[in-house]
Amino acid sequence: MKTKRKASSVLLGALALLMLITGCSQPGNNSGSSSSGDSPETSSSSADVTMGTGGSAVGFIFVGTKDDYGYNQAAYLGSVAVEEAYPDLKVLRAENVPETAEAERVMEQMIKDGAKIIFPTSYGHLEPALNVAKRHPDVVFFHQGGLKTANNVGTYFGTIWEPVYLAGVAAGKMSPTGKLGYIVSVPIPQVLLNVNAFTLGARSVNPDATTSVVFTGSWCDPGQQANATNSLIDSGADVISLHQDCMKTVIETAERRDVMTVGYHADASSLAPNGWITGSLWNWPELFVEMVKTAQDGQFKGSKFDGKYRGTLADNVVQLGSFGANVPADVVQYVEDQKKALLEGTLLPFAGPVKDQSGEVRIAEGETPTVEQLEGSDYLVEGVVGSIPK
């Protein structure tokens, strides 16, 4: 990864500690108990507590664990950056918060504990956040990945499909058979968009490549992940990727079976020294600090975060991960050239014509969809094997 952001010793220490973890302990997206944002380690400030200014605390809720080698770990590292940037601001965290009314209870407790800024980080935390926001118009909510906003609720995300497309290019180059596997959670638009981007990337270098997709119905269920990984490998897939919150089980299962992998959310290359190709990563620290500063300064209304903010590959909010040791130099160079073209705007991954599985043209020739249109994806592209659960 070629990021040049300034990292402090605290953030580096947190990352080093996380990468020593050897287990992904979250049992599933709707199981596990939630905490109420306890054990903050910093002192509170005496700043104003009107909407968007001051407040003694900032709260982060995660649907899984902070050491999942994935979605929650990436968001957790962003919270560490906030903790470091604001040593006088309490940072409240709650792990394993389900996407139910329990999320409302956790956020309400954080507000009681002084939070004037809250980050609900899972897709399914949006409705609970909107409900709490109505009751607390003086609190600013930054929801991760949401498609709806409110007066005091902004959403943020990134065009992660850009590095996913590039990772698909790498997978297409590396696969001897052109048979790829993709393990996903539930058929929300962002999941479908990533499967499509990955497939389009692979087929840009191998028009006969196919992506077999398995929906687990869960953001992190190691048992289901192991079964899905083995099933895809048994059916001939020689590269496995995923859109799951945690990666450890999938990456390690594929590694044991000498199958290559493409990661998502956070760098899990240490789990697959032989089979890791690359990954699509979130880079939240600088963005989280900027969002907190915007709210702390009373500048949320009218800011770029007051609505749907989407960072890009050019913004360094989303990144293409490091390449594995066994990826040939010519493949690395080809993917890097594609990345350059994407950044320059000469490569448009979803430029039409794009057909769905039935052969229907979803993006017409000469058309380039907007980010909003892509985030409304409700189909799988030609080359994907498997159907969308009803």
Side-chain angles (χ1 to χ4, degrees):
M1 194 183 310
K2 297 178 174 62
T3 305
K4 295 184 179 179
R5 72 174 188 270
K6 184 178 180 181
S8 70
S9 58
V10 173
L11 182 55
L12 287 173
L15 180 58
L17 176 61
L18 285 171
M19 299 314 292
L20 289 174
I21 301 296
T22 59
C24 178
S25 58
Q26 184 190 357
N29 65 321
N30 289 323
S31 60
S33 60
S34 67
S35 64
S36 57
D38 51 325
S39 65
E41 297 178 357
T42 56
S43 59
S44 63
S45 69
S46 57
D48 193 336
V49 292
T50 57
M51 178 190 171
T53 62
S56 63
V58 56
F60 294 85
I61 67 171
F62 311 104
V63 73
T65 60
K66 66 183 180 183
D67 52 9
D68 64 358
Y69 282 97
Y71 186 85
N72 296 288
Q73 179 169 310
Y76 171 77
L77 291 176
S79 77
V80 172
V82 170
E83 191 169 41
E84 180 181 68
Y86 289 90
D88 294 325
L89 188 66
K90 289 189 295 183
V91 174
L92 310 174
R93 300 182 180 94
E95 299 175 54
N96 293 321
V97 179
E99 298 171 318
T100 66
E102 176 65 8
E104 291 191 39
R105 187 195 69 77
V106 173
M107 286 184 277
E108 288 283 2
Q109 184 60 52
M110 287 181 169
I111 292 170
K112 289 180 182 178
D113 291 340
K116 288 295 178 180
I117 305 168
I118 293 181
F119 286 74
T121 63
S122 188
Y123 185 86
H125 289 154
L126 178 59
E127 293 301 329
L130 290 170
N131 292 338
V132 177
K134 289 179 184 178
R135 299 192 290 267
H136 299 276
D138 59 332
V139 178
V140 173
F141 295 79
F142 294 111
H143 180 265
Q144 189 162 306
L147 302 178
K148 292 191 290 185
T149 64
N151 184 56
N152 56 329
V153 179
T155 74
Y156 64 95
F157 210 53
T159 54
I160 194 72
W161 50 266
E162 292 179 294
V164 169
Y165 174 89
L166 295 172
V169 172
K173 282 282 192 180
M174 293 294 292
S175 171
T177 67
K179 294 182 178 180
L180 315 175
Y182 214 113
I183 302 168
V184 302
S185 52
V186 293
I188 62 174
Q190 291 156 354
V191 169
L192 302 179
L193 176 57
N194 279 344
V195 175
N196 292 344
F198 182 81
T199 304
L200 290 174
R203 287 168 72 88
S204 73
V205 294
N206 180 359
D208 296 324
T210 59
T211 302
S212 295
V213 62
V214 175
F215 290 85
T216 66
S218 170
W219 291 112
C220 182
D221 185 323
Q224 288 183 331
Q225 289 178 333
N227 289 338
T229 305
N230 283 316
S231 176
L232 286 168
I233 294 171
D234 290 343
S235 67
D238 54 23
V239 177
I240 302 293
S241 191
L242 72 164
H243 187 143
Q244 296 269 288
D245 279 0
C246 58
M247 286 194 289
K248 189 175 190 299
T249 298
V250 172
I251 302 298
E252 289 189 334
T253 300
E255 182 77 357
R256 283 193 297 270
R257 297 196 60 181
D258 296 322
V259 167
M260 295 175 287
T261 48
V262 169
Y264 189 52
H265 296 313
D267 190 339
S269 57
S270 62
L271 300 177
N274 295 316
W276 180 264
I277 297 177
T278 188
S280 307
L281 315 179
W282 298 106
N283 180 31
W284 294 131
E286 291 181 4
L287 184 65
F288 279 19
V289 170
E290 184 182 358
M291 286 192 284
V292 169
K293 183 179 188 303
T294 299
Q296 284 285 97
D297 291 347
Q299 301 298 315
F300 171 74
K301 296 303 296 180
S303 74
K304 63 184 180 182
F305 304 120
D306 179 14
K308 296 177 184 177
Y309 172 78
R310 298 298 187 260
T312 66
L313 188 65
D315 297 329
N316 203 33
V317 171
V318 296
Q319 302 172 331
L320 181 67
S322 59
F323 290 92
N326 291 326
V327 179
D330 63 319
V331 173
V332 173
Q333 187 59 58
Y334 184 85
V335 177
E336 290 291 352
D337 289 344
Q338 293 296 291
K339 176 182 175 182
K340 180 180 178 182
L342 197 157
L343 290 170
E344 291 174 346
T346 57
L347 170 62
L348 303 170
F350 281 91
V354 174
K355 298 179 180 179
D356 65 17
Q357 290 172 305
S358 70
E360 179 184 349
V361 175
R362 292 300 190 112
I363 302 173
E365 185 171 0
E367 179 183 343
T368 301
T370 65
V371 171
E372 188 170 12
Q373 287 173 323
L374 289 174
E375 287 193 343
S377 295
D378 60 358
Y379 62 92
L380 293 170
V381 297
E382 192 174 45
V384 178
V385 178
S387 57
I388 300 173
K390 301 300 182 182

